[in-house]
Amino acid sequence: MKTPQTFAVLFGIIAICSLSLVFRPDKSVLSRPLCDDAFYAFAISHNLAQGNGVTIDGSTLTNGFQPLYVFLCVPLFALAGRNQMLAVRLVLVFLWLMYLGTGFLVGKIVRGFVDPDDEHSTSWVCRMAATLYLSAAIVFL
């Protein structure tokens, strides 16, 4: 197998392995890679989706959160309704898509630093950079 194809296969394997985080049992789905701050973001997203406004407890307004992330999660919580585990799983799928997209973007950025006339090198470097990004140990710990 040629080197660019090897990295493409590794990229696919790592992508599938990282997607497996979505399918963990309910009691472990809320652990890593989600951090403690996820509770606040999810609570606010849930309350926004339920029409309660920007609040953690359903009544007291708050401003201590990352608005872009919270607002991107609101439709996922609205789609899940009152099933909060489904909402968290949908958020994990969303994060997985962002993770893959970032891997592709890293590959394209690194590709820009390679000689554009050498198609073999640009393909190899792009796939290698994307695969190295996806293989970050923090995701699998």
Side-chain angles (χ1 to χ4, degrees), residues 51-106:
N52 297 330
V54 182
T55 175
I56 290 176
D57 61 4
S59 61
T60 307
L61 294 177
T62 186
N63 64 357
F65 64 96
Q66 300 295 326
L68 178 60
Y69 178 65
V70 167
F71 295 146
L72 287 173
C73 291
V74 169
L76 303 173
F77 277 84
L79 181 64
R82 297 210 178 266
N83 186 342
Q84 292 184 357
M85 269 310 178
L86 175 60
V88 171
R89 291 180 194 282
L90 290 173
V91 169
L92 285 172
V93 169
F94 169 71
L95 292 174
W96 179 75
L97 291 172
M98 293 296 106
Y99 174 63
L100 293 183
T102 304
F104 281 117
L105 183 61
V106 165

Side-chain angles (χ1 to χ4, degrees), residues 111-127:
R111 182 180 180 173
F113 290 103
V114 179
D115 181 14
D117 296 328
D118 186 359
E119 181 60 35
H120 178 71
S121 290
T122 55
S123 174
W124 182 83
V125 167
C126 179
R127 291 177 181 169

